[in-house]
Amino acid sequence: MLAYSSVWFGILFLRGLSKVPSRTGTYIFLRMLLNLYAGMRWDVGCDWINYLGHFYAVGEPGFSPWDRSIEQGWWLLMDTVESLGLPYYMLNLIVAVLFFLCIHRMARLQDDRVTFLIVLFPMLLLGIVMAAVRQAVAIGFVTIALLAFIDRTPLKMAFWLAVASMFHISALIFAPLLPVSWGKLTRGRVFFGLLIAAPIAALVISSESADHANNVY
């Protein structure tokens, strides 16, 4: 706990020292530091053993990520890292980089990016990026999808939700927002969104990820 709280209070300290014009530089420095902090960990995270087991599984002869019925993006990422002969921690580093690249799209809209990282740290960094790496990538892409929702560009939103679902199927729970991502908010659009929600809920609940979560947690 001391290792985590020290980093968080360190970020608070830097935030207090940095003047407004210099916060962009502080933000870039902290983002790079947190990338390494989250990505270079070893034997840290509640799902560490599970993901390590996945990593060993992709090294088995005859494995193909396309044999998986869902979440092929996750298996393809691991298969690529393993095929290149890279160690397991490199997978975590790549996940951290992907997460922060996506989150940066939202951070750059904030008036104070350093404070944005401070708010991000306790839950999303410690609880997701350093524990649930599949969800971390999915959340990153969902963030871009939600920005597309704000910009009222449904095709972009649908694309990024589809990409996110290739890492964690639960990302599809945001798909019912698609009918109301452009045009006027009408009862018909809301009803259509509810129609979309039903099969997605059934898919997510019946998925292997949901079954695993139910058994483990």
Side-chain angles (χ1 to χ4, degrees):
M1 183 60 68
L2 181 61
Y4 305 136
S5 58
S6 298
V7 172
W8 192 63
F9 282 113
I11 299 174
L12 287 173
F13 180 71
L14 285 176
R15 167 61 180 79
L17 288 179
S18 62
K19 297 179 181 179
V20 175
S22 66
R23 281 181 196 159
T24 298
T26 304
Y27 165 76
I28 294 172
F29 169 74
L30 288 174
R31 202 181 104 190
M32 294 175 60
L33 181 67
L34 292 176
N35 263 287
L36 293 174
Y37 182 77
M40 300 297 287
R41 71 189 191 280
W42 186 259
D43 199 13
V44 171
C46 59
D47 276 349
W48 175 272
I49 296 298
N50 292 332
Y51 292 126
L52 184 59
H54 288 183
F55 189 73
Y56 289 146
V58 301
E60 295 294 326
F63 174 85
S64 171
W66 305 114
D67 291 337
R68 300 284 171 166
S69 59
I70 59 172
E71 300 170 349
Q72 296 92 343
W74 167 245
W75 297 101
L76 179 61
L77 175 60
M78 279 197 304
D79 189 43
T80 302
V81 172
E82 198 278 334
S83 298
L84 292 173
L86 299 175
Y88 174 62
Y89 68 82
M90 286 302 297
L91 174 67
N92 297 322
L93 182 60
I94 292 170
V95 165
V97 170
L98 286 173
F99 175 81
F100 276 104
L101 283 175
C102 294
I103 290 295
H104 175 66
R105 299 280 293 273
M106 181 173 286
R108 67 186 184 181
L109 300 177
Q110 312 303 315
D111 294 331
D112 190 337
R113 299 180 185 182
V114 176
T115 299
F116 179 77
L117 289 179
I118 292 171
V119 175
L120 192 83
F121 184 84
M123 185 59 204
L124 282 184
L125 187 69
L126 295 184
I128 300 297
V129 183
M130 296 184 67
V133 290
R134 282 192 306 146
Q135 290 91 327
V137 181
I139 287 173
F141 290 130
V142 165
T143 299
I144 301 179
L146 292 178
L147 290 175
F149 176 80
I150 295 171
D151 293 336
R152 304 179 74 80
T153 51
L155 292 180
K156 285 185 179 179
M157 181 183 180
F159 172 78
W160 288 112
L161 284 180
V163 173
S165 69
M166 293 185 69
F167 290 87
H168 205 280
I169 194 67
S170 64
L172 291 178
I173 64 174
F174 292 93
L177 292 175
L178 282 168
V180 296
S181 63
W182 83 98
K184 294 182 178 179
L185 180 62
T186 64
R187 291 181 180 178
R189 290 175 184 267
V190 173
F191 180 71
F192 185 45
L194 293 175
L195 288 180
I196 295 175
I200 288 176
L203 176 63
V204 171
I205 292 172
S206 63
S207 68
E208 180 182 346
S209 297
D211 184 60
H212 174 75
N214 183 60
N215 292 333
V216 172
Y217 303 115

